[in-house]
Amino acid sequence: MTKWQLPPQGTTKLNVDGAIFHTNGSAGVGLILRDWEGKVLLAVSKKEVAVMEPLEIELIATLRGLQFCIPLGLQSLSIETDSLILAQELSKLELSNYMFRNVVIDIKQLQTRILVCSIVHVNREGNELAHKLARFGRNVIDTSVWWESVPHSVEQVLWTDLLL
């Protein structure tokens, strides 16, 4: 898939991404939740500290996404990430023995709180809005949330996702 796709009717789609900012020892999380018509329900840019591994920030982005979505009472959620390793790891029934195991356990436990919850890999072009929101995390103090909108700096990507 080379661009963002609408989820099936009745399903919401959460795109997640992480970005590491080596110069100041922080990272950003980007989340965008849209319904089956492409309507933005929620957009988030969040700063994380003391994260220096790409897989770690991708896992944290997924965890934060679930933490934002569970209170919304969603019945069907498709989570998309551009991290193939993360998507493969979270699809396994058994857990691998690696250093981010606790975050994987937390994600899997949160997934059970949504009736239908899948995590799939998409290429970067299909996850561009989440990527831009993760990069925007450099500019926030802790967390910025937009309900039914996105920051002006990423509106062009949203438009492109829906019309191209």
Side-chain angles (χ1 to χ4, degrees):
M1 183 168 36
T2 58
K3 69 179 215 76
W4 186 82
Q5 301 286 317
L6 290 170
Q9 186 166 351
T11 300
T12 49
K13 183 182 281 189
L14 175 69
N15 287 82
V16 301
D17 201 19
I20 295 175
F21 313 124
H22 293 286
T23 56
N24 63 2
S26 68
V29 165
L31 312 170
I32 182 77
L33 180 68
R34 292 179 268 194
D35 69 10
W36 57 92
E37 295 175 332
K39 179 183 171 194
V40 173
L41 304 175
L42 170 74
V44 177
S45 287
K46 180 166 180 14
K47 184 175 281 184
E48 300 284 345
V49 295
V51 178
M52 299 315 282
E53 296 289 330
L55 181 58
E56 181 182 18
I57 192 59
E58 296 291 340
L59 284 164
I60 289 171
T62 304
L63 178 67
R64 298 289 183 244
L66 284 164
Q67 290 170 333
F68 271 96
C69 287
I70 286 175
L72 301 177
L74 304 174
Q75 298 295 308
S76 181
L77 179 66
S78 174
I79 301 172
E80 290 186 342
T81 175
D82 57 21
S83 171
L84 180 59
I85 295 169
L86 179 140
Q88 290 173 336
E89 183 61 36
L90 294 175
S91 298
K92 294 178 184 175
L93 294 177
E94 69 285 340
L95 296 175
S96 296
N97 187 16
Y98 66 91
M99 59 194 220
F100 307 122
R101 182 181 175 110
N102 289 338
V103 180
V104 172
I105 290 169
D106 288 347
I107 290 168
K108 288 182 175 271
Q109 287 175 344
L110 289 175
Q111 277 185 274
T112 65
R113 299 183 67 190
I114 299 173
L115 187 60
V116 177
C117 184
S118 63
I119 299 178
V120 297
H121 174 258
V122 294
N123 63 21
R124 174 59 60 88
E125 291 79 15
N127 207 39
E128 186 68 21
L129 191 47
H131 177 72
K132 296 283 188 189
L133 289 166
R135 301 290 305 162
F136 191 80
R138 178 190 306 255
N139 304 318
V140 301
I141 294 169
D142 180 41
T143 306
S144 291
V145 179
W146 298 266
W147 292 98
E148 298 182 355
S149 66
V150 296
H152 180 70
S153 62
V154 300
E155 285 177 345
Q156 179 68 37
V157 179
L158 177 63
W159 179 83
T160 303
D161 278 354
L162 294 175
L163 297 178
L164 296 181

